[in-house]
Amino acid sequence: MEGLQQEDLRALGPHGSQSPEKQYSWWRVMCLTGVDYFSSLGYQPGIAALAAGSVSPVATILLVLLTLLGALPVYRRVAVESPYGQGSIAMLEGLAPRWWGKLVVLVLLGFAATDFVITITLSAADASAHILENPFVPRAFSGQQVAVTLFLLALLSAVFLMGFTEAIGVAVLVVGVYLVLNAVVVVRTIMYILAHPNLIVDWERMLTVQHASPLGLLGVSLLVMPRLALGLSGFETGVAVMPLIKGDLPVRIRDAKRLLTTAALIMSAFLICSSFATIILIPEKEFQPGGKANGRALAYLAHAYLGNGFGTLYDISTIGILWFAGASALAGLINLVPRYLPRYGMAPDWTRAVRPLVLVFTVVSFAITLVFDANVDAQGGAYATGVLVLFLSAGVAVTVHAHRTGRRGRTRVFGLITLVLAYTLADNIRSRPEGVKIASLFIAAIIVMSLISRATRSTELRVSDVRLDTLAQEFVSESTGEIHLIANDPRRRDQAEYNAMLREHWYTHRLRSSEPVMFVEVTVQDASEFRSELRVRGDVRYGHRVLRVESATVPNALAALLLYIRDRTGEVPNIYFHWGEGNPVLAMLRYLIFGGGDIPGMTREVLREAEPDPTRRPHVHVG
């Protein structure tokens, strides 16, 4: 998702370019997605300790098992089924028909927006925590977490407004330095623990006192494990950046799997080691709000066991990757939204431009930062909800796909994984409902904006191309002089129907019987599609020439066909209707939802917008 240059931010979405001009080795692309995934080490250990207490290492191991045995197999399958970066959202769109598929996508986009926006605000909040807790920062900045966070968000917005360039190179440097420094901290603290075995004994004694049996310990760990779901982030972005991987399609799929597996293994190792080190070496009070390890557990250990000099270097590296994770998420947003909504006709034209979207998401990020008071722990629930919903959607998508392709073994495996992900999501929502509340606001905003945009853009031509078969082309080519078409709503399509329609229009519009006419019949295939290709087939029924059209809407299809005939023959055609019956408001709703409605009036309106010159505009006759 993350672009290389500002103009490339649109290149990688579900319906964007399948092969960007610049492609890279899989491990470099892993660093691009890793600025989001690996940056969660900045806050995950502290949040885990605060949520799970002494059992956080056990709960983290369960989370790692869910990552390696659940999320990883699911997304390796997603990579196979969506090799052009469409992701799980596009898979579900294909599984759900018509308007239901569009609604599913809009809801998932709401959760994806929650995931990405909270990534931006949470990462900025944690970066500000690392800044303010550094011993070399003047105490005058103490308590200014919100102000510093807003400054970082404004700086992020400014960078995008000026132009976001060379993301891959920066990502490789930031991720490489950050992982090396984390490895130094983890190795140093683990060695210290091994040199002082009494620390392990004290921790084991604490577990024994709090949980009498191993089964009880396991049960508590299962209950708190969903609260640690922040450590699962990054998989959806991992499949979204697949087009950046160098090679043909089979190589890209293979290396995408390698990318996902390598990132998951690296993150799993860091999560397990850091959870042990932080819970054993850091006093419990320091994890609490206001404590020195709150939101920055590994930074606390870096200062405590490697000195303030190294700790400051670690802080700078953490601030850099957290800030860059926000850049990654913002790039994802300005790529994701335009890829789906404009195709549905559910986005105004300004959403195609990068800068307006950046400003909109910056304002939203400011609002969320103020609502949550730039608190890392408070935003964890919303972030985990967005991540888990995307995981669950991926699980459902691959399970249904396996079932439809008759792969029973995979269906059972993916079905079991999906159930575990569903439990994890449900428990996270139960314990931290603010994530669903925030996502609901995003979903409501997206749906309302989408419906308004769809309604205001409904009179666009909405036809990408017009294709006629051989017989239809003959009908058009043979048309000379005035061209007359009669719009017919096909029912029985017998001789009596065509003769009755012809007599009606002869009488109503005073057509001469000697003038040749053609019938036009439009069949709506999928009214939820906003733009479609017009396929026209010629037919002869009882001596009458008929143009049979398939489209998403009737009026727009008729308007496009009329303009095509005008351009092909050089004559301005005429089309004849009879007035419809019923309430005009209901007719408008039928047009928006089912593609029908007040067909004569809407056809004329579409033509008026498409052709501003009245002398070249096809004539619409209604009687």
Side-chain angles (χ1 to χ4, degrees), residues 276-355:
F276 276 102
T278 53
I279 203 65
I280 291 176
L281 296 177
I282 300 177
E284 183 180 353
K285 65 178 183 178
E286 299 295 350
F287 292 115
Q288 302 300 319
K292 295 181 179 180
N294 182 255
R296 56 184 300 277
L298 286 177
Y300 177 96
L301 294 177
H303 283 274
Y305 291 89
L306 290 159
N308 287 334
F310 181 89
T312 299
L313 180 63
Y314 182 87
D315 283 338
I316 294 172
S317 173
T318 305
I319 293 165
I321 195 170
L322 286 168
W323 182 82
F324 208 72
S328 166
L330 184 55
L333 278 170
I334 62 179
N335 178 64
L336 182 66
V337 171
R339 289 308 173 191
Y340 285 99
L341 297 185
R343 188 164 54 92
Y344 299 165
M346 293 180 171
D349 289 336
W350 59 261
T351 60
R352 300 178 185 275
V354 171
R355 288 180 173 83

Side-chain angles (χ1 to χ4, degrees), residues 216-528:
L217 174 62
L218 182 61
V220 171
S221 300
L222 283 171
L223 290 175
V224 300
M225 184 265 291
R227 303 179 193 178
L228 280 58
L230 297 175
L232 289 170
S233 65
F235 282 95
E236 190 74 25
T237 311
V239 294
V241 298
M242 282 182 64
L244 284 175
I245 298 175
K246 185 184 298 183
D248 57 17
L249 195 59
V251 171
R252 185 187 304 170
I253 293 174
R254 182 200 67 195
D255 285 350
K257 290 181 177 180
R258 187 179 297 174
L259 179 157
L260 294 170
T261 303
T262 304
L265 290 173
I266 292 173
M267 190 64 176
S268 297
F270 274 115
L271 285 176
I272 292 174
C273 293
S274 63
S275 66
F276 276 102
T278 53
I279 203 65
I280 291 176
L281 296 177
I282 300 177
E284 183 180 353
K285 65 178 183 178
E286 299 295 350
F287 292 115
Q288 302 300 319
K292 295 181 179 180
N294 182 255
R296 56 184 300 277
L298 286 177
Y300 177 96
L301 294 177
H303 283 274
Y305 291 89
L306 290 159
N308 287 334
F310 181 89
T312 299
L313 180 63
Y314 182 87
D315 283 338
I316 294 172
S317 173
T318 305
I319 293 165
I321 195 170
L322 286 168
W323 182 82
F324 208 72
S328 166
L330 184 55
L333 278 170
I334 62 179
N335 178 64
L336 182 66
V337 171
R339 289 308 173 191
Y340 285 99
L341 297 185
R343 188 164 54 92
Y344 299 165
M346 293 180 171
D349 289 336
W350 59 261
T351 60
R352 300 178 185 275
V354 171
R355 288 180 173 83
L357 277 181
V358 170
L359 293 175
V360 169
F361 289 125
T362 300
V363 170
V364 173
S365 299
F366 277 17
I368 289 179
T369 297
L370 293 172
V371 168
F372 284 103
D373 201 27
N375 187 298
V376 175
D377 300 325
Q379 297 178 71
Y383 183 39
T385 298
V387 170
L388 289 171
V389 167
L390 293 180
F391 274 19
L392 182 60
S393 70
V396 171
V398 297
T399 301
V400 174
H401 183 271
H403 175 71
R404 289 188 174 183
T405 53
R407 299 173 179 177
R408 296 183 179 179
R410 287 185 178 179
T411 302
R412 295 190 187 98
V413 172
F414 289 136
L416 179 61
I417 294 172
T418 302
L419 289 176
V420 175
L421 291 171
Y423 155 75
T424 308
L425 173 62
D427 187 79
N428 183 79
I429 292 174
R430 179 191 59 80
S431 60
R432 295 182 291 183
E434 66 273 9
V436 172
K437 295 177 182 177
I438 293 176
S440 298
L441 294 176
F442 277 107
I443 292 169
I446 287 175
I447 290 178
V448 170
M449 184 188 74
S450 298
L451 293 179
I452 293 174
S453 176
R454 177 92 178 205
T456 56
R457 297 183 60 193
S458 61
T459 54
E460 294 179 10
L461 202 57
R462 295 172 56 179
V463 172
S464 58
D465 193 15
V466 181
R467 294 183 180 274
L468 280 68
D469 70 0
T470 303
L471 188 56
Q473 290 179 16
E474 290 181 6
F475 290 167
V476 173
S477 299
E478 292 171 358
S479 300
T480 57
E482 290 191 359
I483 301 173
H484 303 279
L485 297 97
I486 295 176
N488 181 42
D489 183 10
R491 295 181 178 87
R492 298 184 307 274
R493 302 190 75 241
D494 57 12
Q495 186 171 7
E497 178 180 325
Y498 290 108
N499 288 342
M501 286 291 296
L502 193 57
R503 281 195 302 271
E504 175 187 337
H505 288 287
W506 277 345
Y507 174 77
T508 304
H509 300 290
R510 300 295 189 265
L511 288 175
R512 296 185 298 273
S513 60
S514 59
E515 290 179 317
V517 298
M518 286 186 289
F519 288 92
V520 182
E521 300 174 346
V522 180
T523 302
V524 176
Q525 297 295 315
D526 183 1
S528 68

Side-chain angles (χ1 to χ4, degrees), residues 563-575:
L563 293 171
Y564 174 86
I565 292 174
R566 181 203 64 185
D567 295 338
R568 179 77 177 268
T569 64
E571 297 288 338
V572 177
N574 299 269
I575 189 167

Side-chain angles (χ1 to χ4, degrees), residues 40-41 43-50 52-64 182 185-187 189-190 193 199-200 203 207 221 228 231 266-283 287 297-298 301:
S40 59
L41 286 169
Y43 45 80
Q44 165 75 8
I47 290 179
L50 190 62
S54 61
V55 302
S56 67
V58 182
T60 299
I61 291 175
L62 294 177
L63 179 71
V64 166
N182 271 282
V185 174
V186 167
V187 170
T189 52
I190 293 297
I193 292 171
L199 294 173
I200 301 176
W203 173 66
L207 287 180
S221 300
L228 280 58
I266 292 173
M267 190 64 176
S268 297
F270 274 115
L271 285 176
I272 292 174
C273 293
S274 63
S275 66
F276 276 102
T278 53
I279 203 65
I280 291 176
L281 296 177
I282 300 177
F287 292 115
L298 286 177
L301 294 177

Side-chain angles (χ1 to χ4, degrees), residues 57 104-105 161 221 348 352 442 458 534 541 600:
V104 166
V105 169
L161 292 175
S221 300
R352 300 178 185 275
F442 277 107
S458 61
L534 208 64
R541 304 284 293 182

